[in-house]
Amino acid sequence: MSMLLRRFQLMWHTYRKMLLLYLLVLLLPAGCLLYYYFEKSADILERQVTQSMLKSVQQVKINLDYRLAKVQEISDALILNTDLYEILARDPQSGTRFSQVEEEKKLGNMLRSLQGSDILKIKLYVNADKMYAGEHVNFFSLDQAARMPWYDEVVGRNGAVQWIPTHMERYISTPSEARVFSSARIIRDPNAYSRIIGILMLDVAEANLAAILNQAELDVHSHNMYVADATGMIVSHGQPEKLNHPLLPPETFKLIADQPFGIEKIMMDTQTYFVIFDTLSEGGWKVVSLLPAGQISRMSNQFNVGFSLVLALSLALLFIVGAFLVFAHLTRGTINRVRDITEQLRVRGAAMIEEGIPHPSGVVIRLEKSVTHMLSTFQHLMEDNYRAKEREKEARLRALQAQINPHFLYNALDTINWMALTKGAHDISRMLNMLAQYFRLTLNKGKDIVPLEDEMNLSKAYLEIQKQRFHNFDYTIKFPGLLSGRSIPKLSIQPIIENAIMHGVHNREGHHGSISVEAEAEGQTFVIRVTDDGIGMTEEQIAQLYASLNASSSPSSYGLYNVWERVRLFTGGAGRLVIESQPGRGTTVSIWFPAEENGRNE
């Protein structure tokens, strides 16, 4: 022990100046780096966290828009039902009481068939003289609606949807009150437009929105996500007691009221907050994350502690490296001896081995063997890790494949089909057959490129399903047999047909029209045309649609944009998409495919 102490003292006296200089050169820059880092890291983390939360808010906005759009679709489906107008406009004094019973039965079946997980209750306010106006389950009196606080706003919308913020409702079928928000619109007599014959209201459980908000929270205990209406009142939140209270002071809410989305830093109750928001497409409501700046500061402090630890370890590593360099300097003589031995071995060869090596030392040899063993072990570990990841990928792929079992789907649909036939429900059986065909053609064994015949059959199945749903259009599908085997991207036609139904036929006066899908050869190329006799488009609208197809983000017609992108990639840029339309005379969307050798194979 005393010998080792004397050696250490000797080394210290010999190299202390070099070691002190080394520590000074190392610690001074490290201290400056730490000071600069602590000054800048908070701002950087604030930007990163707020931008991340903005993306979360935008994702929540997408999810909520989808939910509200589903409610809007159900409301539109009811409003487009001509039977609804005929029954509501009928004079209650003109028929018998039995005819009103029949009315109630028909309307009740219509409303209850659309209630479900998204729609908690569908209510219809009707003429007070109708016998079923006091039913108080699905039917209520218009006189009762006139006394509601939302009545003037709904009437002022003149038939458009008015979103009513969260309120409490008690239903006869449930013992306790439910928190709901509602979609409401008036129904006018088509023969006397100034006469209001009903109000359609769809109640949606506020818990549906709160569940989406809770999934996007920064942590499970924060409850920073809100939905607020245009006046700043809280519509949905993870804590029900905050509903129908102002989210922000009125003057503060004005900062975000006219902006579609963004990030604002505010002071409220002597605390600093980040208001991160986006605007829903329905009702002008806003998704807001009210993030306390102190929460980010705590995260920054935690991160700084971790960084300081890493820096300390790095400094220790640098010190060890420096010590190693000192050690290398001290052992330079040994290294020179090894070089001498190597040189003598090179010059004298085996004779040197036979004579023996002067000043034998096994330290360098053991070090080399240790490094070699370490590298070999590291290589084996990397190979084992790679194989483990490959096995994990294969297991995940098998799990995903097991989640979708087409045979199970077809067998289940076939069972339901036989049940429907047993009950005499032939219309349901027809829908199930078309749905099974649609699923089979859509899955298509996982292929993305399909023959034209399969794509046309898929379009026929989709049109038949939509026709059974809406009953407001006729259709034709024609294509020559010589084009049956031509390859096209799967689902190239269905989105165009969907646009024709939703934006063309449904918006046409009378809500009835026709759709044709045709394919024909033109030399070596062929063209697919989807034509409707709907409301058509102006030249400005067509120009905006073309511009949307060339947009790099957020296209206005996502379905058509998706079709065009896949056709463009499939044809290597040689395909064409042409839109022809005139207001009131319908629309034709044509897709040109080049000769077979120019297209891309599967």
Side-chain angles (χ1 to χ4, degrees):
M1 181 65 69
S2 59
M3 182 65 71
L4 290 175
L5 183 59
R6 284 197 299 271
R7 287 184 179 179
F8 179 80
Q9 290 174 346
L10 179 62
M11 289 177 59
W12 171 253
H13 287 298
T14 305
Y15 298 104
R16 64 179 182 275
K17 292 183 179 179
M18 184 173 64
L19 290 173
L20 291 174
L21 180 61
Y22 170 73
L23 288 174
L24 181 63
V25 171
L26 182 67
L27 294 177
L28 185 60
C32 295
L33 177 63
L34 272 176
Y35 176 77
Y36 177 79
Y37 173 77
F38 288 139
E39 287 291 321
K40 297 296 182 181
S41 62
D43 291 338
I44 295 173
L45 189 61
E46 278 185 359
R47 288 196 296 271
Q48 291 176 342
V49 171
T50 52
Q51 287 298 325
S52 176
M53 283 304 299
L54 179 59
K55 292 180 181 178
S56 297
V57 167
Q58 290 172 339
Q59 184 59 51
V60 169
K61 181 251 185 189
I62 292 172
N63 295 338
L64 294 182
D65 275 341
Y66 175 79
R67 282 294 185 93
L68 297 182
K70 286 294 183 182
V71 177
Q72 175 90 3
E73 288 178 6
I74 294 174
S75 177
D76 290 343
L78 287 169
I79 287 297
L80 292 174
N81 194 317
T82 55
D83 291 340
L84 180 69
Y85 287 90
E86 180 184 351
I87 293 173
L88 294 182
R90 193 176 297 161
D91 185 359
Q93 306 299 328
S94 63
T96 65
R97 295 179 67 84
F98 178 74
S99 64
Q100 292 198 38
V101 172
E102 290 296 316
E103 288 180 11
E104 189 275 338
K105 181 178 179 181
K106 188 172 184 179
L107 288 175
N109 291 336
M110 185 189 307
L111 300 184
R112 286 187 287 271
S113 66
L114 296 175
Q115 293 178 174
S117 58
D118 284 333
I119 307 299
L120 193 61
K121 181 71 69 175
I122 301 180
K123 297 187 288 190
L124 192 61
Y125 292 87
V126 301
N127 190 323
D129 293 332
K130 295 219 181 251
M131 183 178 67
Y132 48 86
E135 184 246 11
H136 295 300
V137 177
N138 291 104
F139 302 100
F140 300 85
S141 167
L142 273 174
D143 293 343
Q144 182 179 351
R147 295 191 296 270
M148 295 296 181
W150 43 259
Y151 180 78
D152 291 338
E153 293 180 345
V154 174
V155 172
R157 294 284 288 172
N158 199 26
V161 168
Q162 172 68 29
W163 292 94
I164 301 171
T166 302
H167 55 282
M168 302 300 294
E169 283 285 349
R170 181 180 293 276
Y171 303 114
I172 295 177
S173 58
T174 56
S176 59
E177 289 187 323
R179 290 188 304 276
V180 300
F181 63 96
S182 305
S183 160
R185 66 201 311 175
I186 61 171
I187 305 172
R188 293 185 180 276
D189 188 345
N191 299 317
Y193 191 72
S194 61
R195 177 178 168 234
I196 298 175
I197 57 176
I199 295 178
L200 177 64
M201 179 175 287
L202 285 69
D203 289 346
V204 183
E206 182 272 335
N208 292 349
L209 301 190
I212 297 175
L213 297 180
N214 289 336
Q215 291 175 358
E217 293 288 359
L218 191 60
D219 62 70
V220 294
H221 304 294
S222 60
H223 296 295
N224 294 326
M225 300 289 291
Y226 300 81
V227 174
D229 64 13
T231 65
M233 301 299 289
I234 298 174
V235 175
S236 181
H237 183 54
Q239 297 175 323
E241 61 271 15
K242 292 188 177 181
L243 298 179
N244 297 320
H245 288 80
L247 173 61
L248 299 169
E251 63 276 6
T252 304
F253 189 76
K254 290 179 182 178
L255 294 175
I256 68 172
D258 297 329
Q259 300 184 57
F261 64 91
I263 301 171
E264 293 288 342
K265 191 172 184 179
I266 66 169
M267 287 292 296
M268 187 171 61
D269 297 332
T270 70
Q271 294 187 18
T272 303
Y273 291 87
F274 288 96
V275 181
I276 306 163
F277 61 94
D278 202 346
T279 305
L280 296 177
S281 302
E282 301 290 343
W285 293 354
K286 291 189 181 293
V287 181
V288 181
S289 176
L290 194 60
L291 186 62
Q295 187 173 352
I296 300 178
S297 299
R298 288 193 296 272
M299 296 170 59
S300 176
N301 293 336
Q302 293 172 359
F303 184 76
N304 287 340
V305 170
F307 179 80
S308 300
L309 181 59
V310 171
L311 184 60
L313 293 175
S314 300
L315 292 176
L317 180 61
L318 287 175
F319 184 80
I320 292 171
V321 171
F324 177 79
L325 294 176
V326 173
F327 174 78
H329 175 74
L330 295 176
T331 57
R332 183 176 299 172
T334 303
I335 295 174
N336 289 334
R337 289 198 300 272
V338 173
R339 286 177 178 172
D340 290 340
I341 294 171
T342 304
E343 181 64 21
Q344 291 184 46
L345 283 172
R346 186 182 66 81
V347 175
R348 300 172 60 188
M352 179 67 182
I353 298 175
E354 292 174 358
E355 293 175 3
I357 300 174
H359 308 291
S361 175
V363 175
V364 177
I365 295 175
R366 287 197 299 272
L367 178 61
E368 181 181 0
K369 288 183 177 179
S370 298
V371 172
T372 303
H373 177 71
M374 180 187 69
L375 293 176
S376 176
T377 304
F378 182 71
Q379 179 68 25
H380 287 309
L381 289 174
M382 288 183 61
E383 292 174 356
D384 291 342
N385 185 51
Y386 175 79
R387 286 193 292 270
K389 287 186 176 180
E390 287 296 314
R391 289 194 295 270
E392 181 183 3
K393 288 181 181 178
E394 292 174 1
R396 286 182 178 177
L397 180 60
R398 287 194 295 270
L400 287 173
Q401 290 172 343
Q403 290 176 3
I404 301 176
N405 191 331
H407 296 290
F408 171 77
L409 180 61
Y410 301 151
N411 291 338
L413 288 174
D414 186 61
T415 301
I416 299 172
N417 180 31
W418 281 107
M419 292 173 66
L421 290 174
T422 303
K423 301 295 184 179
H426 296 284
D427 54 342
I428 297 177
S429 173
R430 176 180 175 82
M431 282 290 288
L432 286 170
N433 283 329
M434 297 309 297
L435 183 59
Q437 182 181 1
Y438 182 84
F439 281 148
R440 182 172 61 253
L441 293 171
T442 302
L443 292 172
N444 197 28
K445 299 179 181 179
K447 295 181 180 179
D448 292 325
I449 307 303
V450 297
L452 177 64
E453 183 178 9
D454 286 355
E455 182 69 6
M456 287 295 192
N457 289 335
L458 188 147
S459 299
K460 181 179 179 182
Y462 177 79
L463 281 164
E464 190 62 28
I465 292 171
Q466 293 293 66
K467 184 175 181 181
Q468 292 296 321
R469 178 185 176 191
F470 296 115
H471 304 287
N472 65 344
F473 66 91
D474 299 314
Y475 69 88
T476 58
I477 296 180
K478 294 190 297 184
F479 64 97
L482 60 90
L483 294 179
S484 298
R486 293 296 292 267
S487 298
I488 66 172
K490 183 170 65 178
L491 293 175
S492 295
I493 306 175
Q494 183 260 329
I496 303 176
I497 297 174
E498 182 177 3
N499 285 346
I501 296 173
M502 298 302 176
H503 303 299
V505 174
H506 281 186
N507 292 331
R508 180 183 177 184
E509 184 176 357
H511 308 295
H512 193 281
S514 61
I515 296 173
S516 70
V517 182
E518 299 182 354
E520 61 181 9
E522 292 190 4
Q524 293 297 314
T525 67
F526 73 99
V527 60
I528 301 172
R529 295 186 176 92
V530 179
T531 303
D532 67 77
D533 58 357
I535 62 171
M537 293 184 289
T538 64
E539 292 184 1
E540 270 188 320
Q541 291 173 318
I542 295 175
Q544 291 174 358
L545 200 52
Y546 276 129
S548 174
L549 296 182
N550 296 321
S552 60
S553 63
S554 302
S556 59
S557 180
Y558 185 79
L560 193 61
Y561 175 83
N562 194 350
V563 169
W564 169 235
E565 279 295 298
R566 290 187 289 115
V567 169
R568 183 178 61 82
L569 293 172
F570 173 71
T571 61
R576 288 190 296 143
L577 188 145
V578 177
I579 304 169
E580 301 169 288
S581 182
Q582 292 183 8
R585 301 186 64 180
T587 301
T588 298
V589 179
S590 306
I591 306 176
W592 265 267
F593 289 87
E596 188 75 45
E597 59 271 18
N598 291 336
R600 293 187 178 184
N601 295 327
E602 184 178 349

